[in-house]
Amino acid sequence: MHAPRTGSVIRRSKLVPALVALTALAFVTGCASNKSNTGTYSPASGKHSVSPGSNLARAEVSKWAKSYERDRSNRNAILGYSNALSQNGQIEQSMAVLRAGVISHQKDREIASAYGKILAMNGRFDEALNVLKRAQRPDMPDWKIMSAEAAIYDQTGNHEKARRLYKQALKIAPDDPSLLNNLGLSYLLSNKLPDAEYTLRRATSLPGADSRVRQNLALVLGIQGKFDEAVEVATSELDPRQAQANIAYLRTMMQNRQRG
């Protein structure tokens, strides 16, 4: 599934500052599954993110808090409330809800996976990996847990291991756009830009691909100097104000590349 390796590869010393700067802009739309400094990982749950502090985010917290208060052992309430808290930036509280959920539902892989992801968000990578590995079953592997584990390996610099896991997960869910998105970001972290572009293009062509995937493709295109196409992709579904922010970032990135 690799694209032909053509063109020059950007040195990591130039790539990383651009990726770090990008987290302040709208290419990163927020995702509860990671705290990476590049692009945006897609959650395997298929849930869309909302802006912390927004009316929608606070309404979700209020709605799920009532369900959780009625029955703190209800798995749907645990997952819904923890996700709403995380989306609203209440990470410590979300972690506490999931920690209690893991204790009360020791064999529930979805709760364990969510707990592992939020531990990783807080940089507790070893603990997160332990939780995810305990939740996984070798005889019936869960591709969502594989994806969460792979994202942690990417964040700790073990990109080859991460990609092996993503590719194993793709054997179970071969056309899942969230998996392809995360694999594309793994290539990006290793400066394998043609592979990243190829993989993200494939992800954007699939049903269910959301804005995160398209914004990550725009990022990869921009880094490679394909400015016009990057702008077209980045602004295709954003409000005008956000689109202008993305265009401004891409222009700055291109100017810096030309000076470098």
Side-chain angles (χ1 to χ4, degrees):
M1 68 183 289
H2 298 311
R5 299 180 182 277
T6 59
S8 60
V9 176
I10 299 173
R11 295 195 305 272
R12 188 173 183 82
S13 61
K14 291 185 178 180
L15 178 60
V16 171
L19 299 179
V20 173
L22 189 58
T23 60
L25 295 177
F27 285 111
V28 177
T29 56
C31 172
S33 64
N34 86 97
K35 201 174 183 179
S36 174
N37 65 353
T38 177
T40 308
Y41 283 90
S42 290
S45 65
K47 297 174 182 175
H48 294 282
S49 60
V50 296
S51 299
S54 66
N55 290 337
L56 178 58
R58 288 185 282 108
E60 284 292 298
V61 170
S62 178
K63 179 186 77 173
W64 283 107
K66 293 174 183 176
S67 297
Y68 185 68
E69 279 299 315
R70 283 196 296 269
D71 183 1
R72 296 193 176 202
S73 65
N74 182 284
R75 69 178 303 277
N76 290 332
I78 291 168
L79 289 167
Y81 188 38
S82 64
N83 181 66
L85 288 167
S86 179
Q87 296 281 0
N88 198 40
Q90 297 171 253
I91 304 301
E92 291 296 328
Q93 191 175 350
S94 177
M95 189 183 304
V97 171
L98 288 169
R99 185 183 301 115
V102 167
I103 294 171
S104 60
H105 296 270
Q106 296 185 15
K107 295 184 178 181
D108 192 303
R109 294 200 288 180
E110 190 172 357
I111 293 176
S113 177
Y115 185 45
K117 291 174 185 178
I118 204 163
L119 286 169
M121 283 179 66
N122 285 271
R124 295 164 62 173
F125 298 119
D126 290 341
E127 190 176 351
L129 284 173
N130 286 335
V131 169
L132 292 171
K133 287 178 178 178
R134 286 199 303 269
Q136 191 61 280
R137 286 180 53 185
D139 59 330
M140 295 185 66
D142 186 321
W143 67 267
K144 296 177 183 179
I145 294 178
M146 285 183 183
S147 182
E149 186 179 349
I152 294 171
Y153 285 124
D154 263 334
Q155 291 175 86
T156 55
N158 197 340
H159 306 306
E160 290 293 336
K161 189 167 187 177
R163 287 195 288 274
R164 286 198 298 271
L165 275 172
Y166 285 133
K167 290 174 183 179
Q168 288 178 34
L170 282 165
K171 292 178 181 178
I172 301 172
D175 287 320
D176 184 84
S178 71
L179 276 175
L180 288 166
N181 174 71
N182 294 352
L183 176 60
L185 291 182
S186 184
Y187 283 127
L188 173 58
L189 281 168
S190 298
N191 298 334
K192 298 180 182 294
L193 300 181
D195 286 332
E197 179 184 342
Y198 175 82
T199 306
L200 288 167
R201 282 190 187 278
R202 181 181 166 195
T204 59
S205 72
L206 294 169
D210 63 15
S211 178
R212 280 177 289 262
V213 185
R214 285 179 280 277
Q215 298 308 311
N216 289 333
L217 174 59
L219 167 60
V220 171
L221 292 168
I223 290 173
Q224 294 180 98
K226 301 177 181 180
F227 179 77
D228 291 340
E229 188 178 3
V231 169
E232 182 180 353
V233 172
T235 60
S236 61
E237 57 185 22
L238 299 176
D239 63 78
R241 182 177 177 182
Q242 193 61 75
Q244 288 303 315
N246 282 0
I247 293 171
Y249 173 76
L250 286 168
R251 288 189 187 281
T252 300
M253 183 171 63
M254 292 303 300
Q255 290 169 359
N256 290 340
R257 278 173 46 77
Q258 289 169 0
R259 285 197 295 265

